[in-house]
């Protein structure tokens, strides 16, 4: 086999600066091997063209083995297999049924609701501050996505406080607290689906109200189990804006010229968000796929059953695609497109909603607090995670 660069995901330098470590591998070879003690090597596509191609290649599929599942009670097991674990016609069927609720047009129509949620959180932010200093992650970026999901899905107001607690637990990452939250989230989802099924008022009930009534042309429809699983999956995947918004704020506050540009011209914000996803998006590694057969890649043979991923952090800074890729530039003209929301059949269903949330959150935050500044260096606040670029806190002065 040809010699490939190897990246040890436990290396402190990789954890501290994955962009440099993964970029170094990219410039050595379009294919690398990631080393994870106890799990064996994972093949990784390092460059934009190869990563994009693999993410859309049916020879590589996501399965249950692509995820590390927490231990849950038996009554939760029927809801653990989300759309993310499915492939082919099974995945296509569910995606076809739910996709109309998550189009760019629907996200744009939902913008006023998001703006109201953002404004309410920012109204409360000064009261959360101690001496003018507040944790923007805890009091803004973390509660926002769950509040949006509750409004989108149609969770009753009286139930939203517990959903916010679940969202905070999910956003904090895996662990015992995460596993303990899962039964509550699923029970809440079951209750919400039952209420939507029983609602005969004819009034709009959010996405959930639509999904319980959805009928495809061939008579297909979502079962209660499928809808509960979707709601639970929304809670998981829907926390992405938490980390994206926190990363984006830290990036802008540490790049004064870029901050000044978006402050002076709000019309730049949609493009700025795309650039921020490319430059400091949460996803460093794509969800691993499994090779369905032996596959030849760049002179090497990836054996059937092997795990394969895309080094998103490397692909999004590939100089073959992006000029001066390590420079944050909110005026950058979109080119081939980043891979921050993946690509292919498993392109993030909620990408449009995440984009609108982030645009609204950053615009309102920068307008409301013109003197906003970091209260601690972002590099001191990074969580050691080779797969997700995220902060453990975001202290700012208002």
């Amino acid at each position: 086999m040809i010699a490939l660069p190897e990246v040890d995901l436990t290396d402190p330098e990789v954890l501290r600066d994955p962009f440099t470590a993964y970029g170094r591998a990219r410039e050595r070879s379009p294919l690398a091997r990631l080393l994870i003690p106890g799990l064996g090597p994972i093949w990784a596509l390092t460059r934009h063209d190869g990563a994009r191609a693999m993410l859309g290649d049916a020879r590589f599929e996501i399965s249950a083995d692509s995820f590390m599942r927490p231990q849950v009670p038996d009554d939760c097991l029927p809801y653990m297999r989300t759309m993310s674990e499915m492939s082919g016609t099974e995945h296509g069927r569910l995606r076809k049924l739910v996709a109309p609720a998550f189009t760019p047009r629907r996200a744009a129509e939902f913008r006023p609701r998001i703006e109201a949620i953002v404004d309410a959180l920012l109204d409360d932010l000064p009261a959360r501050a101690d001496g003018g200093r507040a944790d923007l992650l805890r009091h803004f970026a973390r509660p926002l996505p769950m509040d949006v999901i509750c409004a989108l899905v149609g969770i009753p107001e009286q139930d939203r406080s517990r959903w916010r607690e679940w969202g905070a637990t999910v956003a904090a990452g895996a662990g015992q607290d995460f596993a303990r939250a899962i039964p509550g989230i699923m029970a809440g989802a079951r209750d919400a689906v039952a209420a939507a099924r029983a609602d005969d008022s004819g009034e709009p009930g959010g996405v959930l109200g639509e999904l319980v009534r959805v009928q495809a042309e061939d008579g297909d429809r979502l079962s209660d189990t499928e809808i509960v699983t979707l709601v639970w999956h929304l809670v998981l995947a829907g926390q992405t804006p938490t980390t994206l918004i926190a990363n984006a704020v830290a990036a802008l506050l540490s790049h004064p010229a870029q901050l000044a540009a978006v402050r002076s011209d709000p019309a730049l914000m949609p493009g700025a968000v795309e650039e921020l996803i490319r430059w400091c998006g949460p996803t460093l590694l794509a969800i691993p796929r499994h090779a369905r057969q032996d596959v030849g890649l760049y002179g090497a043979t990836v054996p059937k059953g092997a795990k394969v991923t895309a080094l998103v952090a490397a692909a999004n800074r590939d100089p073959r695609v992006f000029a001066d890729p390590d420079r944050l530039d909110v005026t950058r003209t979109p080119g081939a497109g980043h891979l921050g929301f993946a690509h292919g059949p498993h392109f993030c269903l909620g990408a449009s909603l995440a984009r609108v949330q982030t645009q609204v959150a950053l615009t309102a935050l920068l307008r409301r607090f013109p003197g906003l500044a970091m209260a601690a260096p972002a590099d001191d606040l990074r969580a050691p995670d080779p797969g997700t670029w995220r902060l453990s806190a975001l202290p700012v002065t208002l």
Side-chain angles (χ1 to χ4, degrees), residues 349-368:
L349 190 64
S352 295
L353 189 66
R355 285 175 161 124
V356 172
Q357 275 189 76
T358 306
Q359 292 167 18
V360 170
L362 294 179
T363 299
L365 179 69
L366 298 179
R367 181 183 67 244
R368 186 79 68 93

Side-chain angles (χ1 to χ4, degrees), residues 183-204:
I185 298 171
M186 291 181 175
R190 286 197 298 267
D191 291 345
V193 170
R197 287 276 190 217
D199 182 10
D200 58 2
S201 66
E203 296 296 321

Side-chain angles (χ1 to χ4, degrees), residues 55-224:
L55 293 171
D57 192 330
R59 294 176 297 175
F60 303 99
E61 67 176 0
I62 294 179
S63 67
D65 292 338
S66 298
F67 302 87
M68 297 181 66
R69 283 188 169 187
Q71 294 294 318
V72 297
D74 288 347
D75 66 315
C76 294
L77 293 177
Y79 311 111
M80 289 299 290
R81 188 165 180 266
T82 69
M83 190 163 46
S84 290
E85 300 180 16
M86 300 176 185
S87 299
T89 56
E90 183 183 30
H91 174 266
R93 168 188 169 264
L94 280 180
R95 187 152 184 132
K96 177 183 176 183
L97 289 173
V98 304
F102 298 95
T103 62
R105 180 180 63 82
R106 294 297 303 276
E109 291 172 350
F110 202 66
R111 182 182 286 263
R113 297 283 299 278
I114 296 173
E115 289 173 340
I117 293 168
V118 166
D119 285 342
L121 289 171
L122 293 179
D123 287 344
D124 290 342
L125 193 58
R128 306 284 188 179
D130 182 6
R133 174 173 166 158
D135 184 348
L136 208 61
L137 178 62
R138 179 181 179 185
H139 298 302
F140 180 61
R142 190 168 285 164
L144 173 60
M146 184 55 85
D147 284 3
V148 169
I149 288 170
C150 285
L152 180 77
V153 170
I155 301 299
E157 287 286 349
Q158 64 269 21
D159 295 334
R160 293 187 182 183
S161 61
R162 61 174 178 159
W163 283 79
R164 183 183 277 192
E165 292 175 8
W166 291 331
T169 301
V170 170
Q176 291 186 348
D177 289 344
F178 175 52
R180 283 193 289 265
I182 291 174
I185 298 171
M186 291 181 175
R190 286 197 298 267
D191 291 345
V193 170
R197 287 276 190 217
D199 182 10
D200 58 2
S201 66
E203 296 296 321
V207 166
L208 192 53
E210 295 177 24
L211 291 177
V212 298
R213 298 175 181 86
V214 71
Q215 264 326 107
E217 290 181 1
D218 60 359
D220 192 11
R221 70 180 300 162
L222 293 163
S223 68
D224 281 6

Side-chain angles (χ1 to χ4, degrees), residues 105-392:
R105 180 180 63 82
R106 294 297 303 276
E109 291 172 350
F110 202 66
R111 182 182 286 263
R113 297 283 299 278
I114 296 173
E115 289 173 340
I117 293 168
V118 166
D119 285 342
L121 289 171
L122 293 179
D123 287 344
D124 290 342
L125 193 58
R128 306 284 188 179
D130 182 6
R133 174 173 166 158
D135 184 348
L136 208 61
L137 178 62
R138 179 181 179 185
H139 298 302
F140 180 61
R142 190 168 285 164
L144 173 60
M146 184 55 85
D147 284 3
V148 169
I149 288 170
C150 285
L152 180 77
V153 170
I155 301 299
E157 287 286 349
Q158 64 269 21
D159 295 334
R160 293 187 182 183
S161 61
R162 61 174 178 159
W163 283 79
R164 183 183 277 192
E165 292 175 8
W166 291 331
T169 301
V170 170
Q176 291 186 348
D177 289 344
F178 175 52
R180 283 193 289 265
I182 291 174
I185 298 171
M186 291 181 175
R190 286 197 298 267
D191 291 345
V193 170
R197 287 276 190 217
D199 182 10
D200 58 2
S201 66
E203 296 296 321
V207 166
L208 192 53
E210 295 177 24
L211 291 177
V212 298
R213 298 175 181 86
V214 71
Q215 264 326 107
E217 290 181 1
D218 60 359
D220 192 11
R221 70 180 300 162
L222 293 163
S223 68
D224 281 6
T225 297
E226 288 170 336
I227 298 179
V228 170
T229 301
L230 175 66
V231 173
W232 136 252
H233 187 206
L234 277 175
V235 172
L236 286 181
Q239 304 311 306
T240 295
T242 289
T243 302
L244 175 56
I245 290 167
N247 287 353
V249 171
L252 290 173
L253 294 182
S254 61
H255 291 77
Q258 304 303 309
L259 176 62
V262 293
R263 279 193 190 279
S264 63
D265 185 2
L268 289 175
M269 189 57 77
V273 168
E274 298 307 303
E275 172 69 350
L276 288 159
I277 297 170
R278 181 197 73 83
W279 194 81
C280 62
T283 302
L284 298 173
L285 304 175
I287 296 168
R289 274 72 171 158
H290 290 81
R292 300 177 62 188
Q293 62 193 65
D294 289 355
V295 180
L297 291 176
Y298 301 106
T301 299
V302 177
K304 179 180 179 180
K307 286 186 176 182
V308 184
T309 189
L311 276 178
V312 175
N316 280 348
R317 297 196 184 191
D318 188 344
R320 297 157 191 80
V321 175
F322 305 101
D324 198 5
D326 292 322
R327 180 171 61 90
L328 176 64
D329 179 5
V330 297
T331 66
R332 187 184 296 272
T333 301
H338 61 74
L339 300 178
F341 291 121
H343 178 71
H346 286 278
F347 179 81
C348 177
L349 190 64
S352 295
L353 189 66
R355 285 175 161 124
V356 172
Q357 275 189 76
T358 306
Q359 292 167 18
V360 170
L362 294 179
T363 299
L365 179 69
L366 298 179
R367 181 183 67 244
R368 186 79 68 93
F369 301 104
L372 192 71
M374 292 291 294
D379 288 345
D380 296 343
L381 304 168
R382 288 285 165 199
D385 186 337
T388 306
W389 188 239
R390 59 189 176 92
L391 295 161
S392 57

